[in-house]
Amino acid sequence: GENVGLHLPTLSVQEGDNSIINCAYSNSASDYFIWYKQESGKGPQFIIDIRSNMDKRQGQRVTVLLNKTVKHLSLQIAATQPGDSAVYFCAETVESGYSTLTFGKGTMLLVSP
Amino acid sequence: NAGVTQTPKFQVLKTGQSMTLQCAQDMNHNSMYWYRQDPGMGLRLIYYSASEGTTDKGEVPNGYNVSRLNKREFSLRLESAAPSQTSVYFCASSPRRGSSYNEQFFGPGTRLTVL
């Protein structure tokens, strides 16, 4: 929503820079992780996912790193563009059985031209 | 293929009024979800439906009821709205079969204000 960014950590970068958004997850049993992007006034949109048997996964301009030892995820965006400005959420779940997604609080990314 | 649609987009209620938020998906997904999003709180799960005919409570179910009307539609009802229910509500769906997780696809949201 329009005011979802209130009280969120904010990362400000210049266009063309690389961005790194961090997320600490809470459940050591979680084995599947997703990054979502939410633009102002819109619903979250899937960016990339990773399972716990991997520590790195690459997409188009994005890379997710997983460190299970310290329960940490990061999303790296290469050559950040103004269109990347949004709130980014990580989400975790235990894939077996029927576990639901638990979302982090989000980080706002602001990209200046 | 519209994906996940929600109605209405905006709603203002008075305390004590009731209303139903509608959600429909045309992707033949098995699972559907209702979340609320408050500033600085991320997305919190209200209710979900793993498959047609089943519903389960999420993290914040109090004050809400849901109905999985058929495979396409999953509605959220506020019986007696309270100011604490002012929020943005998102519906989502996923193919989810068995133990293999699939990403969730989100609708555009309903912005609800309770006065």
Side-chain angles (χ1 to χ4, degrees), chain A residues 11-112:
Chain A
L11 175 65
S12 296
V13 301
Q14 294 283 110
E15 182 176 2
D17 287 352
N18 295 331
S19 303
I20 299 176
I21 299 170
N22 296 303
C23 175
Y25 64 91
S26 56
N27 186 355
S28 56
S30 292
D31 55 8
Y32 182 66
F33 306 87
I34 306 176
W35 279 100
Y36 281 90
K37 172 186 179 182
Q38 186 178 25
E39 296 175 280
S40 181
K42 297 184 179 179
Q45 182 181 16
F46 175 90
I47 303 174
I48 191 168
D49 59 1
I50 189 168
R51 288 185 163 81
S52 60
N53 60 350
M54 303 173 70
D55 51 22
K56 179 178 180 178
R57 189 159 189 230
Q58 288 185 291
Q60 189 176 16
R61 281 201 308 118
V62 295
T63 300
V64 56
L65 299 178
L66 174 63
N67 184 330
K68 296 181 287 292
T69 303
V70 294
K71 294 190 290 186
H72 184 268
L73 274 172
S74 67
L75 178 71
Q76 301 178 359
I77 305 174
T80 314
Q81 303 166 1
D84 294 327
S85 293
V87 177
Y88 291 81
F89 294 96
C90 66
E92 60 179 298
T93 191
V94 179
E95 196 167 18
S96 61
Y98 200 95
S99 296
T100 53
L101 278 179
T102 299
F103 284 81
K105 290 183 170 41
T107 297
M108 176 170 283
L109 176 65
L110 296 174
V111 183
S112 308

